[in-house]
Structure formats: C-alpha cells, structure tokens
Amino acid sequence: MSPPSAEKLAVWIFDLRSERLPELTAVRVSETPKTRAAYRPAGRGGEDAP
C-alpha cells in the first residue's frame, strides 16, 4: 500500500472537519516547502480553487 498523497489527505481532512466547521472552505496540505495540494469543493468557494 502506498502512502496517501497530499491531494487525498486534503480531501480526507476536509471531509473530517467540514461538518463541525461549516465556515471551512478549503484545506491545503504541504508535502515540501515548494509542493502543496489544495482541496476546495464547488459550492464552498471552489469556483476559484488554487
């Protein structure tokens, strides 16, 4: 089994916390200082996702 990717971690964190934090619009996960992934679902500010 391969380790989770930053993209999958961002989605997992968002799903885990979005119910308790309705103001949450996005999650960003950094793998290194120069690489990162963001998850911002449509309808919660996702139209302008980075």
Side-chain angles (χ1 to χ4, degrees):
M1 176 191 257
S2 62
S5 66
E7 293 85 357
K8 289 180 182 178
L9 284 172
V11 172
W12 180 76
I13 292 167
F14 184 91
D15 290 344
L16 184 69
R17 294 296 177 206
S18 63
E19 189 172 313
R20 292 190 64 186
L21 300 169
E23 68 277 10
L24 183 67
T25 60
V27 171
R28 186 180 300 172
V29 176
S30 295
E31 293 181 288
T32 71
K34 293 186 177 185
T35 61
R36 63 180 176 250
Y39 177 68
R40 184 180 301 173
R44 293 190 80 168
E47 296 77 17
D48 299 319

